[in-house]
Structure formats: C-alpha cells, structure tokens
Amino acid sequence: MFLRYSIIEVSTDTGLKGYAECCPLGSAYLPSYAKGVRTGIAEIAPKLIGENPLEISRINLLMDKLLKGHPYVKAPIDIACWDLLGKDCNKPIHSLMGGKAQNDIDLYRAISQEKPNEMIKKVQTYNNEGYTKFQLKVGGNADEDIERIISTREALSSDNILIADANTGWKKHDALRVVNAISNKNVYIEQPCASYDECTAIRNKTSLPFILDEVIDNSNMLIKAISENAMDIINLKITKVGGLTKARNIRDICIEAGIPMTIEDTWGSDITTATIAQLAITTPKDFCFSATDFNSYVTVSVAENAPKRVQGKMKPSNLPGLGILPNFDILG
C-alpha cells in the first residue's frame, strides 16, 4: 500500500504545514497512476515556491497554467492549501466552507467481487457493524453478476440500499441483460460501461436509479450529463476532479440541479477520509447520498484524529484544517 499512495506536506515560512493524500487505484482504472502523482508534483512544485498557499483560487489557476490536465496531481496541493488555511484561521475546513449542513455522514461499504455466498456473508457482517448502504462490485460475467445482485438484495432488509457498481466493466449487451434481469429489484445501477455514451444508452433502457462515476471528471462533463438527464446520482471523487476547490464547485452545481452525491475518492486512508468528511459534512443530507471511510479498509493508521466509523456513520474533526496529525513514526 505504501508504494501506491503519496502523502505530501506543504511548508510555509510561518512554520505552518499542510497535508494531503493521493492514492490512484492502479494505472488502468482512471487516467492516473501512483508515480504520476510524484513526477507531476516535481514538475509544478518548484514554480509554486514563494506563492501564498492561502490564496487557493490563485494556486489552482497557476497549477492549471503550469500543467495541462492531470487533476489528480494538483489535488493534494489544493487539499494541503485548505489544510493550511484552516490552521491559519484556527478553524476546521468545514467552517470555512460554510459550516455543517448535517450532524453526521452516512457511509457505504464496498463489497469486493467474489462468489455470491461470500459477498452475502460480508454484507451481513457489515450490516451488523451499522452499515446500511452497500456498493456491490460487479462488472464481470453477466450471469454471475445477476446472481450476485439478486441474492444479495434478498439478504438485505427493504430499507437497506444496494448499489450494483460495474466500475465500467460491462459491455452494453451484458449491461442490458443485467438491468433487464433485475428490473423488479430495489437496486441502483452504477457506471455500467466505460464511456458516457454507452452508459446513457443503458440509462435509456432501464427504470432503475442510475449513478455515474468515472465519466464525471469535471464540471463541464457534469453540466452536460445534467442537461441530458444521464443520471440520478453521481460519485464525486475529490482527487479525480482536482481537489477540494473543484469538488466543492461540482458539489454546488449538483445541489442546484437536484442531484445527490456520494462524496468519496479513488482510495486512501486516514488523510483521505478526513478530507472526505470535511466536504461531506457541509453537504445537505438530502444531497449527501453517502460517503466513504477509507481508513476502515486499511490496516495501518497514518494520522491521528482522523474520523472513525460509528454505526455506519462518521463525523469530521473540529480541529483546525483537516484536523489530522500525520504519524511520522509510521511514515518515516
């Protein structure tokens, strides 16, 4: 895991330090990869030295001029600047973003793709831990996926939420078979195919609630999808879109358009979880479909004071900035 993610520190001449975490999920999931974070930061960081990190909008404009694209590279710098701004103001990030819009954040649990009976066991275990929202990883063999979805849905109570997340894995003909086979089930369909056009083709052939994730990677794409009624919900991955500044902009467009969100990221641990919690708590509950506590998925804690899951929910720290302190005994 330590080879796959990066934690950055932005230092200031006043002694304040800001932190952020970025963890691309391999090199074939999104147009990002672990070494790209470090080489990209090495490209732009020397030209940021001497800038005021509290002028976050200016920092984002400068990063976009220095490096075309690669939002995941810029995201940890943006997040670290927000951490610094909070520490400079002695306020948590959520206070700087307008304050808490809900008391706590509903979490979902992702269930890795396995045999149906194994997935059911895991869902039941996590249900007992307080989770009520589940993201079932599918996108493999269509017949097996149909069995996974139906059997897991039957194992849950009617008020539990089940999302069948193909992570772009189905071809259109398989996606169509699946949505037809489960058309009478209480299931959400998430990102069935690789491209936006393929997904909208499936969207137009099912009445099941529809979630887009990987193809919603900036505000322009979001506006297009809203105008074409392409989804009911989006997954908002913070580093995918470039950090907290751009994620907040996408969040606000979604609220204006009536689109709920799962607020999350590609992967990470304590610092990523703290970042998610700071943005999610400022999102009205009706629009915060769920969020992710990535530090429940890993075995090593890299920061103190990170949010912890309690009965399927979490809250952000009220300490300044992200509210975390990196554990340098672990990080080195």
Side-chain angles (χ1 to χ4, degrees), residues 297-317:
Y297 294 76
V298 297
T299 57
V300 177
S301 175
V302 299
E304 299 174 12
N305 304 323
K308 301 296 183 185
R309 168 182 49 82
V310 178
Q311 284 298 302
K313 300 177 183 293
M314 72 174 175
K315 297 180 179 181
S317 170

Side-chain angles (χ1 to χ4, degrees), residues 267-310:
W267 199 257
S269 56
D270 289 311
I271 302 176
T272 294
T273 302
T275 306
I276 292 166
Q278 293 290 340
L279 180 61
I281 203 70
T282 68
T283 305
K285 205 168 192 68
D286 286 349
F287 291 96
C288 191
F289 184 62
S290 63
T292 315
D293 57 327
F294 279 115
N295 53 1
S296 289
Y297 294 76
V298 297
T299 57
V300 177
S301 175
V302 299
E304 299 174 12
N305 304 323
K308 301 296 183 185
R309 168 182 49 82
V310 178

